[in-house]
Amino acid sequence: MTAWLQPFLISLIVVAAFIACYVGLQRDPQPHQVPIAVTGSTLPGEIQQALGNAVTVHPSSDAATARLALERHDVVAVLGTAAPGHLKLEIAGAAGASTTSAVSTLVDAYARGAGAHVTVADVVPLAKHDARGLAGFYLAFGVSLAGFVLGSNVLGLTGVMRLRHRFVLLIGTSAAIGAVGALVVGPVLGATPAPLAPLIFVLALLAAATAFTTTLMGAVLGPIGLPVTTLLLLTVGNATSGAVIGADLLPAGARAVSALLPPGAAVRGIADLGYYNGSHLSGPVITLALWAVLAGTLLSLSPRLTRRRAAIA
């Protein structure tokens, strides 16, 4: 009976979780402490009071400093006074349509109440061939999926290939996945302006993190390991990555895990490389490397742990 029940229940859980994550998170996204720079002496306080917890206002002494913060991805928009009764909102289209749309809506609501007119300018626009800003999401999802397939296949080689050879296969193929993904999205499709070599590195780390984690979960948890990995990385990880719905618009629980899971870290790294000169690249790279290294270390220890448990039994 268990042989029938386990795949039945796992399939239902996976489909329910997938739909709940991807559809549920898009039902009613609400901005939460979206960082914006505001210039002027009194405008920062007025904006923070009017918009409340929806934004985090970064007061800026002048427009040039605020623009620099926008170009470094320290904030997602800059608001200032262009003339009496006229506000200027500068946005980073690269921050994602959901985030910039939310900021524009909030500022428009404030302007209507204040009797002011708003002019919007996109100073960090998306690449020409990524009009909807989804290239990073599809890139991270595709590389994650390839890493999952790689890990699943290597798991099946446990009885016929030595551990060190499996490690070489995981590392080498992860590097190849990163190279193919970067070449297709960059030079072939022109969907990201990210420099090729650093992009290959980030994508290879994502593939390695996913592949090593998949192999580890399968080795330690057995038949249920792959479904658990599917739920954790492919479903929750990609749904909360911040690429489709901006991280600042996600519910609290999703925001908490967004940057900690490999897909979310990779999406941030891809955006930083493509649009913000890698200004915050270290965090995503460290996260991805930790996933790959820790999973690899635990995988190397798993045969000893298995033998020890068998000896104790």
Side-chain angles (χ1 to χ4, degrees):
M1 183 63 179
T2 303
W4 291 70
L5 187 60
Q6 180 172 300
F8 175 77
L9 291 177
I10 288 175
S11 299
L12 295 184
I13 291 170
V14 169
V15 70
F18 190 94
I19 294 171
C21 285
Y22 280 93
V23 178
L25 291 178
Q26 299 182 64
R27 290 178 63 200
D28 187 28
Q30 296 294 328
H32 176 78
Q33 295 183 344
V34 180
I36 64 173
V38 182
T39 61
S41 56
T42 62
L43 187 59
E46 294 172 3
I47 293 295
Q48 188 68 78
Q49 183 176 5
L51 303 186
N53 198 46
V55 300
T56 296
V57 170
H58 295 253
S60 185
S61 57
D62 55 74
T65 302
R67 172 73 70 85
L68 180 62
L70 182 63
E71 293 172 347
R72 284 180 45 83
H73 205 196
D74 295 327
V75 298
V76 300
V78 173
L79 181 64
T81 302
H86 192 124
L87 298 175
K88 182 177 182 180
L89 177 66
E90 295 179 315
I91 60 172
S98 60
T99 300
T100 55
S101 176
V103 171
S104 297
T105 299
L106 290 170
V107 171
D108 282 342
Y110 167 80
R112 284 195 301 270
H117 177 71
V118 181
T119 299
V120 180
D122 188 352
V123 299
V124 189
L126 288 162
K128 177 182 177 181
H129 298 295
D130 184 26
R132 298 179 61 197
L134 294 177
F137 169 76
Y138 291 120
L139 180 58
F141 191 95
V143 171
S144 298
L145 181 60
F148 175 80
V149 172
L150 169 62
S152 303
N153 280 274
V154 170
L155 182 63
L157 298 175
T158 302
V160 298
M161 185 180 288
R162 292 180 180 274
L163 180 64
R164 65 175 178 271
H165 294 155
R166 282 180 276 143
F167 269 54
V168 171
L169 180 58
L170 285 167
I171 294 171
T173 308
S174 293
I177 290 171
V180 170
L183 286 168
V184 170
V185 80
V188 175
L189 298 178
T192 177
L196 188 60
L199 182 60
I200 290 174
F201 179 65
V202 169
L203 296 181
L205 281 179
L206 172 60
T210 307
F212 274 103
T213 301
T214 301
T215 307
L216 172 66
M217 298 293 273
V220 173
L221 299 181
I224 201 174
L226 296 184
V228 169
T229 308
T230 301
L231 289 172
L232 178 64
L233 300 185
L234 297 183
T235 303
V236 176
N238 282 291
T240 64
S241 65
V244 177
I245 298 297
D248 296 312
L249 277 67
L250 293 171
R255 285 198 309 273
V257 302
S258 178
L260 300 179
L261 295 176
V267 163
R268 287 161 172 77
I270 293 166
D272 277 335
L273 282 172
Y275 298 103
Y276 304 105
N277 298 313
S279 56
H280 296 285
L281 186 61
S282 59
V285 166
I286 291 171
T287 299
L288 293 170
L290 283 175
W291 273 87
V293 170
L294 288 177
T297 301
L298 292 174
L299 184 60
S300 68
L301 296 175
S302 63
R304 304 175 198 174
L305 296 175
T306 302
R307 287 195 296 268
R308 184 176 300 176
R309 286 197 300 268
I312 293 174

